[in-house]
Amino acid sequence: MNEKNSLNYLNKQKEQALLGGGQVRIDAQHKKGKLTARERLNLLIDKGSFQEMGMLVTHRSRDFGLDKQNFLGDGVITGYGTISGRLVYVFSQDFTVLGGSLSEAYAEKIVKIMDLAMKNGAPVIGLNDSGGARIQEGVVSLGGYADIFYRNTLASGVIPQISAIMGPCAGGAVYSPAITDFNIMVENSSYMFVTGPNVVKTVTHEEVSSEDLGGASAHSTKSGVSHFSAANEVVAIDYIKRLLSYVPQNCEELAPDFDYEATNELRPELNKVVPENPNTPYDIKDVICNTVDKESFFEVNKEFAENIVVGFARLAGKSIGIVANQPAFLAGVLDIHSSKKAARFVRFCDAFNIPLLVFVDVPGFLPGTDQEWNAIITNGAKLLYAFSEATVPRITVITRKAYGGAYDVMNSKHIGADMNFAWPSSEIAVMGAKGASEIIFRKEIKEADNSEEMLLQKEEEYKNMFANPYSAAGRGYIDEIIEPQYTREKLIRAYKMLENKVDNLPKKKHGNIPL
Ligand code: HXC
């Protein structure tokens, strides 16, 4: 038997592959406070379930000194396994091998598991930690990236795709996570940018650190690129697991149900959330958390565009997606960022059969040149479009204001919502009573002996007419006006009623969402 046919040789190869770029580089990774690619997988995947593929693949380029050493696995660990017993495909970039840089063979390994994931209908999880395209390989590594981007796009809406950024992710490499459904970034050790601080300095003369330019905080609060900011890698991996618990394996399945035993569904606390004064803010998360199953609310994009709240939750054990205006932040107004944030979330839920629940308390769209010149028209339309084309069960609860175009946009009956409830505190009108009175009664107010008194009188008249849900209910735009404490019970019944909903969009190649 020659050496290559022996078990001994195989074991030596495996040992070498398990060591990645070697102990020195593993120690360097730990020194930076980072785990290795394998340690991350051990935390993520159910114990004993990981099946590695392509462990002995090596790089092909031999230029620029790459002929001196073969790194088995070539900088990325790929394979499949289970998380909470459910199949997932995963790749984990190994920074200890040539900085986790992407080569031709490396890209092929990722492509292989993505193709399998598509054929077998299971999520793909990417753990990113890479210096980008392997510089020594030139255009071949660019091609490898594009092969991955192409598959990210084809897989979008078919299987859930989740990216965790655990280290550098720069240049064109950012576009794979950008296409995936969710990005999780680790604070202080990960960054994403198209061009780094050096290029920025040359081109714009700005001096900025990697962290400030593209760290977890920047992308969680300013750009919204990161959906979850994790204090460390262990927390990031927990986020992945939690996220998966709300979503199905693919677009043809339903999310897993959790055990639920019906008890008293009344929630008297809800009667106390909305303040007497319609201009006093309150936290919509109090409404959400008092409505859904205990501790089930899992917020997405928590620190970005806080005037809208989106996230997953469970109602009677079933996964739902929540979109809610937040009166505690900018009075819950809709603006560019909040519209985009909510639209993307609505489209994810719709693609993966997750019913939508919408809480409405919105004074309208944010006025101003900044919003208009940055296309609030196009961006606001994204949310309108996303709701309008969503075919999953859709329920709306208006808690207070539903003014103007924002009333239409926020999952109104007119754009296909299935059940619309309103609390007695609701005001469904073209605008607030003061603004409306100033316009339509301008002449009377101007000519009155006491203009201020006249304005108040007209405001009162307008309020009696529209600052309530009865006019909308009289038209059938609201299916039922409910006392807040019955909300949970009503929603459980309504979703049960909608369980077998089938709704098809007109046949088309695809729509043209205002991007
Ligand atoms: C080959 C790379 C590499 C790369 C890092 N290494 N990036 N090798 N191609 N892209 C190697 C280093 O030479 C080094 O090898 C080892 O990985 C670790 O890197 P260090 O620099 O020592 O680590 P650190 O100080 O932590 O810095 C990490 C880093 C830096 C910030 C990522 O390495 C860096 O700036 N790399 C280059 C990034 C880059 O410009 N990539 C190309 C982007 S263009 P040794 O042997 O010394 O340990 C791109 C286009 C994609 O990605 C387009 C897709 C469409």
Side-chain angles (χ1 to χ4, degrees), residues 351-368:
F352 291 103
N353 312 316
I354 299 169
L356 287 162
L357 171 59
V358 180
F359 288 107
V360 181
D361 187 348
V362 62
F365 281 96
L366 183 62

Side-chain angles (χ1 to χ4, degrees), residues 184-216:
I184 297 155
M185 289 188 74
V186 179
E187 290 160 21
N188 303 315
S189 62
S190 72
Y191 50 85
M192 297 175 83
F193 37 67
V194 174
T195 48
N198 291 340
V199 178
V200 170
K201 192 173 173 199
T202 311
V203 177
T204 69
H205 309 294
E206 279 173 285
E207 289 213 28
V208 64
S209 66
S210 291
E211 180 63 25
D212 287 347
L213 182 63

Side-chain angles (χ1 to χ4, degrees), residues 25 29 32 34 66 71 95-102 130-137 141-146 149 167-175 191 193-194 198 210:
R25 288 186 173 84
Q29 180 88 341
K32 288 181 200 157
K34 288 160 72 179
L66 287 184
F71 291 104
F95 193 83
T96 69
V97 176
L98 299 168
S101 58
L102 184 136
S130 163
R134 187 164 303 161
I135 295 163
Q136 296 91 329
E137 293 213 6
S141 70
L142 301 185
Y145 267 120
F149 302 157
C169 180
V174 296
Y175 287 113
Y191 50 85
F193 37 67
V194 174
N198 291 340
S210 291

Side-chain angles (χ1 to χ4, degrees), residues 3-248:
E3 205 211 340
K4 284 196 170 173
N5 292 117
S6 74
L7 265 182
N8 198 20
Y9 182 80
L10 173 65
N11 287 334
K12 266 201 275 177
Q13 290 263 297
K14 283 189 174 169
E15 231 171 72
Q16 197 188 324
L18 288 173
L19 209 53
Q23 195 57 49
V24 173
R25 288 186 173 84
I26 290 176
D27 292 343
Q29 180 88 341
H30 286 158
K31 229 181 198 166
K32 288 181 200 157
K34 288 160 72 179
L35 298 174
T36 65
R38 282 190 192 278
E39 287 165 342
R40 290 169 183 154
L41 284 174
N42 286 343
L43 284 173
L44 178 68
I45 303 292
D46 292 343
K47 210 165 174 224
S49 76
F50 183 61
Q51 302 297 306
E52 187 165 348
M53 297 169 68
M55 190 188 214
L56 306 185
V57 166
T58 58
H59 63 274
R60 297 187 190 121
S61 168
R62 301 281 134 185
D63 301 326
F64 302 106
L66 287 184
D67 54 341
K68 292 196 183 72
Q69 199 176 350
N70 266 348
F71 291 104
L72 298 175
D74 195 20
V76 65
I77 303 164
T78 55
Y80 65 94
T82 60
I83 294 178
S84 301
R86 299 162 76 206
L87 175 67
V88 293
Y89 293 84
V90 62
F91 65 86
S92 182
Q93 300 179 333
D94 185 350
F95 193 83
T96 69
V97 176
L98 299 168
S101 58
L102 184 136
S103 70
E104 180 188 20
Y106 177 131
E108 282 173 6
K109 286 180 68 177
I110 294 179
V111 160
K112 196 190 267 182
I113 60 141
M114 292 181 84
D115 288 345
L116 277 170
M118 282 286 275
K119 287 179 195 158
N120 294 287
V124 175
I125 298 161
L127 306 179
N128 295 265
D129 187 0
S130 163
R134 187 164 303 161
I135 295 163
Q136 296 91 329
E137 293 213 6
V139 70
V140 171
S141 70
L142 301 185
Y145 267 120
D147 290 337
I148 295 168
F149 302 157
Y150 179 58
R151 280 162 181 82
N152 284 136
T153 307
L154 296 185
S156 179
V158 181
I159 49 173
Q161 300 180 81
I162 300 173
S163 304
I165 317 296
M166 317 289 226
C169 180
V174 296
Y175 287 113
S176 174
I179 300 171
T180 63
D181 299 302
F182 296 103
N183 292 319
I184 297 155
M185 289 188 74
V186 179
E187 290 160 21
N188 303 315
S189 62
S190 72
Y191 50 85
M192 297 175 83
F193 37 67
V194 174
T195 48
N198 291 340
V199 178
V200 170
K201 192 173 173 199
T202 311
V203 177
T204 69
H205 309 294
E206 279 173 285
E207 289 213 28
V208 64
S209 66
S210 291
E211 180 63 25
D212 287 347
L213 182 63
S217 164
H219 284 310
S220 303
T221 61
K222 291 184 166 69
S223 73
V225 166
S226 169
H227 299 87
F228 302 93
S229 170
N232 56 52
E233 295 188 17
V234 177
V235 175
I237 286 168
D238 276 347
Y239 278 144
I240 300 174
K241 293 183 187 179
R242 185 144 188 227
L243 192 47
L244 284 172
S245 75
Y246 292 93
V247 304

